[in-house]
Amino acid sequence: MNPLRYDCMRLEEVATELFTRVGVSEHHARTVAQSLIHADLRGIESHGLSRLPIYMKRIEAKVIELDQEPEMVKQEGATALIDGKNHLGAVVGKVALEQAISLAKQAGIGFVGVRHSNHFGTCSFYAERAIEQDQILLVLSNAPESMAPTGGIRPFLGTNPMAIGIPAGKELPFLLDMATSVVARGKIALAAKKGEPIPADWAIDQDGIPTTDPERALLGSLLPIGGAKGYGLAMFIDVLCGLLTGAACGPGVQSLYENWTHPQNIGHVFLTIDVQRFWPLPVFQSRMDEYIREIKSVPKKAGIDEIMIPGEIENRKMSEQRVHGVSLSPGIAQELEQACITYGVDWGKARIGS
Amino acid sequence: MNPLRYDCMRLEEVATELFTRVGVSEHHARTVAQSLIHADLRGIESHGLSRLPIYMKRIEAKVIELDQEPEMVKQEGATALIDGKNHLGAVVGKVALEQAISLAKQAGIGFVGVRHSNHFGTCSFYAERAIEQDQILLVLSNAPESMAPTGGIRPFLGTNPMAIGIPAGKELPFLLDMATSVVARGKIALAAKKGEPIPADWAIDQDGIPTTDPERALLGSLLPIGGAKGYGLAMFIDVLCGLLTGAACGPGVQSLYENWTHPQNIGHVFLTIDVQRFWPLPVFQSRMDEYIREIKSVPKKAGIDEIMIPGEIENRKMSEQRVHGVSLSPGIAQELEQACITYGVDWGKARIGS
């Protein structure tokens, strides 16, 4: 049996309506809905509508606040600092992105630091928007503790993700979206649920020993990509997003799921580059197209159909799901349906063919 | 027997003198000498004076050119583009770094792209200089092909390194310097020389199969850190340093050792952030100190003496070797002595106690 498919536009209406029911303005509700559905469209279910219930719960618990808009604390030269005022992460992120794009249009490059934000969805949501405006974006975020520094046995750093977007012409754009940990904690939780072992390079147990037992891994610490290199990258992201902006850093970043008394106080950084400072847009685009075609034509390993560029699998999935509907796993669909029942929103209209 | 030690200041004189013998101005010769000795001081012998002979050879073969100074092609807003005019990489890199620092002092952030450059030593050389001026630096460089894209079996990307420097106060600064490959090709060549196997995650053979045989690995392709993540990072660095700046990219970047007809045409990117746009310097410094102390106090795995921050091992080595002399392996010392004999430079004076 194929999983059920849902129309992305109608899902957006449903999610927007749900957020307005807990007091989010229609405009901001739509932004957050779009950021979550962006992830589902790309096949990243862990960052999609599966997060809607927890966002709503945090708004109701007032650990996400709606009474103040994100505010520009400072804008000087090609930099800006934004205080998210503990609003929804995607609302804060969109304001920061727009500021960074505007700075890059003026100065060729823009750097926007953000403090007092919340979980802001996938980094790729912002990279895609920068690409649409012909800009290169590097977006960084810190996250709650889950990863020990190399040599350590207690989490200190988050999975601290980054995304990089680079526009192309006829080819799909470059869109790298990655955590600095080997995998997300969610993948280990899933293996634990299924009672399956995990690869030994995903996590360490509480004694710092690499483990294939997901239960032991969940009590331990995630491993960074490339050993000390990934640890260094995660620390760099924490320092920029947290320490430099004035957001929380290290274990000071609060959990989305477990802390109900304090704001997350996540920090982000948005760094934009206007490609038109270096090349007329059509020239840059055709050079990117040529580069992408060249890398895709490298001889392939037996059994590999095609060399993919970063984001290509997800971009293709998005195109397909825009047309044929977004597939949601039954557990997530059920949770959303439950939320719709609670708040009196029509869930049925999102179903394709309904 | 302890390896021989050499005085770093006297080594600088010797290396500077050697470069002047092949026509490099005293000023530029000193810059390149400093960049190489910086690496040796930090214990990164692969990027230290071991490169001096090949730099000299390329100058003599006129594939590195000395007749034109690096030139600013464009400076607009917070960005600049520099044409290295095929001069020595460290000469070009220093010009670019200074421009980036000056831009960040004006605009809070600076972005300098560089084309027509050469091998510029370790990225940490530039990060250290930015730290001395209280700036955060992200420096990127592309490099000759050695790494296949994920799924491919022929090299396309270089080991494309990056360094990140962040100043601290009383603590040693954060200085991450890393290739996007798991290891440098040189480590595999060394294993081949010793007839020792290599870990299976270092490289693939010509069929794309991970190999522990260094000979097969040398015919194959290096592996990136974190699988497709490292491939994405290496491609990002290539696009920024090569495609955006107008330098060569992908397999267009020429080998330092094997190509004697074309310039390398390496590209770099220098991105600076002035921390004082965000915090008064002493506040930022003490916050960094506190952060570093906190991460270093995370409980340690049994057998681990100390949690290190990126660059800490190298920074300590540098302090020690500044005082007690730089150790050079006998093969490298011999090559340098040979160059000194050829060019009539006194090698003996670099020896400590000589």
Side-chain angles (χ1 to χ4, degrees), chain A residues 74 181 229 238 277 291, chain B residues 74 181 229 238 277 291:
Chain A
K74 203 190 268 199
S181 56
K229 294 183 181 187
D238 199 28
R277 291 292 166 131
Y291 183 90
Chain B
K74 202 188 270 196
S181 56
K229 294 182 181 185
D238 199 27
R277 292 293 166 131
Y291 183 90

Side-chain angles (χ1 to χ4, degrees), chain A residues 74 76-81 106-111 113 115 136 138 148-157 162 164 166 174 176-183 207-210 225-226 228-236 238-240 242-247 249-252 271 273-279 284 287-288 291-292 294-295 298-302 304 306-310, chain B residues 74 76-81 106-111 113 115 136 138 148-157 162 164 166 174 176-183 207-210 225-226 228-236 238-240 242-247 249-252 271 273-279 284 287-288 291-292 294-295 298-302 304 306-310:
Chain A
K74 203 190 268 199
E76 274 184 337
T79 69
L81 179 63
Q106 291 159 47
I109 180 161
F111 179 95
R115 62 191 184 203
I136 295 174
L138 170 64
T150 299
I153 54 173
R154 293 289 172 272
F156 183 95
L157 298 161
M162 66 169 94
I164 296 161
I166 307 174
F174 175 101
L176 177 66
D177 186 354
M178 56 175 262
T180 46
S181 56
V182 175
V183 292
D207 299 319
I209 313 294
I225 58 162
K229 294 183 181 187
Y231 152 49
L233 287 174
M235 183 173 164
F236 159 65
D238 199 28
V239 169
L240 240 62
L243 195 145
L244 186 70
T245 67
C249 49
L271 179 79
I273 304 165
D274 186 4
V275 299
Q276 296 182 75
R277 291 292 166 131
F278 296 89
W279 300 93
F284 181 83
R287 282 169 59 88
M288 269 303 284
Y291 183 90
I292 290 168
E294 221 184 305
I295 205 165
V298 167
K300 292 177 289 292
K301 187 178 164 178
I304 299 285
E306 193 178 350
I307 289 172
M308 298 293 184
I309 65 159
Chain B
K74 202 188 270 196
E76 273 184 336
T79 70
L81 179 62
Q106 291 159 47
I109 180 164
F111 179 96
R115 61 193 187 204
I136 295 174
L138 170 64
T150 299
I153 55 174
R154 293 290 173 273
F156 184 95
L157 298 161
M162 65 169 94
I164 296 161
I166 307 175
F174 175 102
L176 177 67
D177 185 354
M178 57 175 262
T180 46
S181 56
V182 176
V183 293
D207 300 318
I209 314 294
I225 56 161
K229 294 182 181 185
Y231 152 48
L233 287 175
M235 183 172 165
F236 159 65
D238 199 27
V239 168
L240 239 63
L243 195 144
L244 185 70
T245 67
C249 47
L271 180 78
I273 304 165
D274 186 2
V275 299
Q276 295 181 75
R277 292 293 166 131
F278 296 88
W279 299 93
F284 181 83
R287 283 170 58 88
M288 270 303 284
Y291 183 90
I292 290 168
E294 219 184 308
I295 205 164
V298 167
K300 292 175 290 290
K301 187 178 162 178
I304 299 285
E306 192 177 349
I307 289 173
M308 297 291 184
I309 65 158

Side-chain angles (χ1 to χ4, degrees), chain A residues 35 38 42 47 89-90 92-101 109-115 117-131 135-143 159-166 174-180 233-234 236-238 240-242 245 266-273, chain B residues 109 138 233 236 240 271 273:
Chain A
S35 88
H38 161 91
R42 296 175 74 80
H47 282 63
V92 182
K94 201 182 168 197
V95 169
L97 174 72
E98 281 164 5
Q99 181 60 33
I101 287 176
I109 180 161
F111 179 95
V112 177
V114 180
R115 62 191 184 203
S117 186
N118 282 290
H119 189 273
F120 76 162
T122 53
C123 292
S124 65
F125 177 66
Y126 310 96
E128 192 185 53
R129 260 127 215 91
I131 289 168
Q135 292 203 351
I136 295 174
L137 177 72
L138 170 64
V139 52
L140 313 171
S141 183
N142 66 5
T159 53
N160 299 359
M162 66 169 94
I164 296 161
I166 307 174
F174 175 101
L175 209 175
L176 177 66
D177 186 354
M178 56 175 262
T180 46
L233 287 174
F236 159 65
I237 293 173
D238 199 28
L240 240 62
C241 295
T245 67
I266 286 179
H268 321 298
V269 157
F270 292 79
L271 179 79
T272 41
I273 304 165
Chain B
I109 180 164
L138 170 64
L233 287 175
F236 159 65
L240 239 63
L271 180 78
I273 304 165

